[in-house]
Amino acid sequence: MRILLSNDDGVYAPGLKALYEELSKIAEVIVVAPDRDRSAAGKSLTLNAPLRPRILDNGFCLVEGTPTDCVHLALTQWLKDLPDLVIAGINAGANLGDDVLYSGTVAAATEGHFFGLPAIATSLAMHKGDKNYESAARIIRELVEQTMARPLDKETMLNVNIPDLPYEEIKGYQVTHLGQRHRAEGMIEMQDPRGNTVFWIGPPGPEQKAGPGTDFYAINEGYVSITPLQMDLTKYNAISQMADWVGHVKLKAV
Ligand code: MN
């Protein structure tokens, strides 16, 4: 099996290294990742500058671009044959609920999905101090082994969050739907050294819809959360209502 591995925390991130080492036990792993932390880059592509890949001593390919750029470059140019699987992560921090639309980790996996490949975004739901990347990497390796035994549909994209616990303390798996956060808290206002007012974007809002069945709930209970994602954001049950609504709008006579 050949796996394309990327992330949004950058090519030097510990989560990327841990996952590379674990997946290398069972597959050929090609790493193409951003040169720096591009967390919350969402699905952005770099259109106003060229992409410059560079190979590091450890064989990882670094790109001065976004997570989506990295996977796009790898799948269109860098790899002669498409990989069997695209994986992003392990992200330093959870990607739950609304986070998936901001997440560069999910975006990197989505790019694989857009190329018709099974794709998995992986994130460690970290607490302060704990960083069980090896435990999370082992969980992901076991999920990849499961995809070898029972291949994922090419249309399948998974968002996997892993509780930050030693392997023995993880309770199991829950297949979940996305929960929802409250509105983000306000920005943090500061003065820069030149006396100008600047604003830092603050932490995401606390969980709102986080009951049983959600990704938040699974993580809080010590389970690995697996959410199947789709990229079609159409609100199908609003189509007929909207058709009626727009039917009452008259085109103005020219
Ligand atoms: Mn990140």
Side-chain angles (χ1 to χ4, degrees), residues 13-231:
L16 180 76
K17 183 166 179 282
L19 189 51
Y20 172 80
E21 286 172 3
E22 191 69 26
L23 292 178
S24 293
K25 294 176 182 172
I26 57 161
E28 181 192 347
V29 184
I30 303 111
V31 176
V32 182
D35 62 325
R36 70 195 83 162
D37 185 357
R38 302 301 297 262
S39 292
K43 199 82 197 80
S44 53
L45 279 171
T46 299
L47 299 180
N48 55 1
L51 299 176
R52 195 171 289 113
R54 189 154 59 85
I55 306 293
L56 300 176
D57 288 346
N58 62 2
F60 291 7
C61 177
L62 161 163
V63 178
E64 293 170 38
T66 67
T68 301
D69 288 335
C70 292
V71 176
H72 191 87
L73 176 69
L75 296 181
T76 57
Q77 292 291 328
W78 197 254
L79 300 177
K80 287 197 179 67
D81 303 306
L82 287 180
D84 302 297
L85 186 60
V86 175
I87 301 188
I90 305 167
N91 188 58
N95 276 307
L96 300 166
D98 319 333
D99 300 342
V100 300
L101 287 176
Y102 296 98
S103 168
T105 308
V106 174
T110 305
E111 195 65 5
H113 176 68
F114 284 169
F115 277 80
L117 301 169
I120 307 176
T122 68
S123 305
L124 181 65
M126 296 198 302
H127 305 290
K128 278 189 184 129
D130 301 337
K131 280 177 187 144
N132 289 284
Y133 282 119
E134 284 73 21
S135 161
R138 182 172 165 191
I139 293 280
I140 297 157
R141 192 246 300 157
E142 289 170 359
L143 286 175
V144 171
E145 285 173 332
Q146 175 68 354
T147 72
M148 291 168 162
R150 298 182 66 177
L152 291 172
D153 192 300
K154 285 204 183 299
E155 295 300 306
T156 300
M157 178 170 52
L158 302 178
N159 185 39
V160 177
N161 282 271
I162 299 147
D164 194 2
L165 295 169
Y167 184 84
E168 302 70 32
E169 293 176 31
I170 293 176
K171 287 192 191 153
Y173 298 91
Q174 283 185 7
V175 178
T176 58
H177 63 265
L178 298 176
Q180 209 177 313
R181 292 187 185 278
H182 285 282
R183 284 172 50 177
E185 286 159 25
M187 295 181 69
I188 296 153
E189 185 175 339
M190 304 176 83
Q191 300 286 311
D192 78 4
R194 292 176 187 80
N196 302 307
T197 301
V198 296
F199 300 89
W200 281 97
I201 290 180
E207 34 197 83
Q208 182 179 37
K209 283 187 193 157
T214 66
D215 47 1
F216 286 101
Y217 188 85
I219 285 295
N220 290 339
E221 295 290 310
Y223 289 85
V224 177
S225 165
I226 301 179
T227 310
L229 296 181
Q230 60 185 8
M231 280 300 111

